[in-house]
Amino acid sequence: MTSHILFVCLGNICRSPAAEGVMRKLSPELQIDSAGTSDWHVGETPYGPMRQAALQRQIDLSGLRARQLTITDFDRFDLILAMDRENLANIESLRPEGSETPVRLFADYAGLAGIRDVPDPYYTRDFDGVLDLIEAAAQGLLADL
Ligand code: 4NP
């Protein structure tokens, strides 16, 4: 059974904490966490504009703190979800020998033709658009578990 799910992006301050917050709210009984492939923002709260956009949807990200993905995450989680294809490649490059933990693109669960990556709102500044996509993917994921 898939019960431990890890969301991964680059900085762990925008997309993956938003996915963590959305998924926690949808399914409180699941064990959800998030991490970044980089160590750039370790220890920080999610990015302010993302926290604000999430709060408008009654999703409070203020208790989350960024951390970096580690190889032990492949043992601790049943499913690792990457926010984009670059994250996916970076996650795969850390995979320990013998680990069969599935690593998939989160946006695929939204079932939207041609959309495979969650765009990085740190650059696009479209925090609401990203939350819409994350909410659609989270619903699809929940139906798939
Ligand atoms: P995230 O967004 O990967 O969704 O957390 C980013 C946040 C910060 C940076 C890049 C992406 N940065 O370059 O600092």
Side-chain angles (χ1 to χ4, degrees), residues 28-67:
E29 65 277 13
L30 289 171
Q31 302 296 310
I32 310 287
D33 196 8
S34 65
T37 58
S38 77
D39 65 359
W40 301 342
H41 297 279
V42 169
E44 295 178 21
T45 53
Y47 189 49
M50 179 52 92
R51 284 207 316 270
Q52 286 301 323
L55 209 50
Q56 301 267 321
R57 302 176 189 220
Q58 283 69 52
I59 296 161
D60 182 4
L61 305 179
S62 65
L64 304 181
R65 295 293 180 274
R67 72 170 180 91

Side-chain angles (χ1 to χ4, degrees), residues 9-17 40-41 120-123:
C9 62
L10 174 59
N12 194 210
I13 57 167
C14 291
R15 294 165 294 172
S16 62
W40 301 342
H41 297 279
D120 194 337
Y122 195 75
Y123 302 112

Side-chain angles (χ1 to χ4, degrees), residues 7-8 79-89 91 102-111 115-118 137 141:
F7 294 100
V8 177
L79 176 62
I80 299 177
L81 293 168
M83 293 297 135
D84 63 32
R85 283 168 281 193
E86 187 180 332
N87 303 150
L88 185 85
I91 297 164
V103 180
R104 304 210 174 104
L105 285 172
F106 181 48
D108 280 348
Y109 289 90
I115 298 185
R116 308 222 55 211
D117 296 329
V118 179
L141 172 62

